[in-house]
Amino acid sequence: MQTPTLRRLFGQPRFVKFWISRFVGTIANQMLMVAVGWQMYDLTGSAWDLGLVGLFQFVPAFLLTLPAGHVADRLRRNRIFTTCMLLQAAVALLLLAATTQGFASRELILGVSVVLGVARAFQSPAQQALIPLLVAPELLSQAIALAASGMQTAVIAGPALGGALYVAGAAHVYAASMALLTVAGALMAGVRYEHQPAAGAITLESAFAGVTFLWRNKPLLGAISLDLFAVLLGGATALLPIFARDILHTGPEGLGLLRAAPAVGALAVSLVLLRWPVRRRSGPLLLVSVAVFGLATVVFGLSSHFGLSLLALAVTGAADNISVVIRQSLVQLDTPDEIRGRVSAVNSIFIGASNQLGEFESGATAAWFGPVASVVVGGVGTLLVAAAWIRLFPGLARRDQLVREPVSA
């Protein structure tokens, strides 16, 4: 039975259309990433090259996300999202042609990774800043949780479907991804909402308005930087092809399940948060969730049993989802709409750094010290970061309710 909140959310067509578009686009993107990672490892057998895929996505995202935030505050955010979906569909088409015509290579995969980084630089702040325009303020936390549940469901289905299709060949994955990305773009193009572009001339000061805002709001800065360092150290996604093949002795299907496992845990938690949203002690819960993420990462690194590895990854996803919902709610609640795109852009830089740069860090340390040591040391580092943030950001550690708070000077 649907709760009253769910009925209200699904009763708003523009939010539903946004939700479906993001869901379909995430499935396609996850399928694409499974195929790119496995194909790169098939071509080179190198942990370093797996790490480079993440680095080549991170660099353009890092360089372009602040300008992308300014774009998100001036142009229609749904059109930005649509353009990014179609650009990723073009990448899938190129990889499809390269695979079927026999010119797929390490260099090509690294090249399209740059294009994917550019697309994500513009997509992320636009989609983050869209949600508050589609729902009432009192529904924002639940809308973020529902959006997260849809994304995590897609992250479950996408890798599993991608791994299953890869058995028949990478070309099948790329073709399906291209079709789904095109559908996602078409759906988002139809989202309608009131658009009020940011006023004033574009200056260096206005471009860095999001950075300035976060610097003055230390609890928000602590929340997004916590995610940066935790996932930067504790992320093991880039190494999953190595763990699948060399440690857990499984194939593409097993890799798909490993990539989907964090989303299973995240989906379960997001459904709980839809029914019982976080209302009190949000700061302490955020810090505890990051510590649990680090501990589960250590367990995954030490495991040589496929079932235990799946469970540990599911726990990392559950803990990370709690962190995501609280952090995104804090960012959207405490940020005025006229700079929400730019603040979301800074948040996207931190997310991108934690994911893509984290993949490079994992690949590099795995190449030097081995995959197990890389993951275990990263998990321990995440635990230390969670402990350090209690002292560095006491305002975050004391944050109680998820309500709008004034910016501290």
Side-chain angles (χ1 to χ4, degrees), residues 19 22-24 26-28 30 145-161 259-268 270-271 274 321:
W19 188 90
R22 189 178 180 186
F23 175 75
V24 172
T26 303
I27 285 182
Q30 291 298 309
L146 182 59
S149 70
M151 184 182 71
Q152 298 303 340
T153 302
V155 173
I156 294 169
L161 182 57
R259 288 189 66 100
V264 173
L267 175 61
S270 64
L271 294 176
L274 274 173
N321 188 259

Side-chain angles (χ1 to χ4, degrees), residues 124-216:
S124 187
Q127 72 179 15
Q128 287 182 46
L130 256 177
I131 297 179
L133 301 176
L134 306 179
V135 299
E138 64 270 17
L139 294 175
L140 181 60
S141 178
Q142 290 93 330
I144 290 173
L146 182 59
S149 70
M151 184 182 71
Q152 298 303 340
T153 302
V155 173
I156 294 169
L161 182 57
L165 287 175
Y166 198 95
V167 175
H172 291 77
V173 186
Y174 296 137
S177 297
M178 179 185 65
L180 291 175
L181 287 163
T182 303
V183 170
L187 284 171
M188 186 61 75
V191 174
R192 297 288 182 264
Y193 62 94
E194 184 178 350
H195 173 60
Q196 294 182 337
I202 300 176
T203 64
L204 189 62
E205 180 181 359
S206 68
F208 281 86
V211 176
T212 303
F213 178 84
L214 286 172
W215 183 255
R216 292 175 178 173

Side-chain angles (χ1 to χ4, degrees), residues 58-81:
F58 168 74
V59 171
F62 178 79
L63 295 176
L64 294 173
T65 299
L66 282 182
H70 219 311
V71 171
D73 283 333
R74 289 182 172 269
L75 303 181
R76 296 194 67 88
R77 293 163 185 168
N78 65 320
R79 293 177 182 173
I80 298 171
F81 186 97

Side-chain angles (χ1 to χ4, degrees), residues 34-95:
V34 167
V36 166
W38 196 271
Q39 190 171 33
M40 175 63 92
Y41 200 52
D42 269 342
L43 288 170
T44 69
S46 169
W48 174 262
D49 286 336
L50 283 175
L52 285 180
V53 171
L55 180 65
F56 275 54
Q57 291 182 56
F58 168 74
V59 171
F62 178 79
L63 295 176
L64 294 173
T65 299
L66 282 182
H70 219 311
V71 171
D73 283 333
R74 289 182 172 269
L75 303 181
R76 296 194 67 88
R77 293 163 185 168
N78 65 320
R79 293 177 182 173
I80 298 171
F81 186 97
T82 296
T83 302
C84 294
M85 289 291 101
L86 296 180
L87 182 58
Q88 292 178 70
V91 167
L93 176 61
L94 175 59
L95 289 171

Side-chain angles (χ1 to χ4, degrees), residues 152 155-156 159 240 255-267 309-318:
Q152 298 303 340
V155 173
I156 294 169
L240 289 182
L255 174 61
L257 291 175
L258 289 171
R259 288 189 66 100
V264 173
L267 175 61
S309 297
L310 286 176
L311 177 61
L313 288 173
V315 173
T316 66

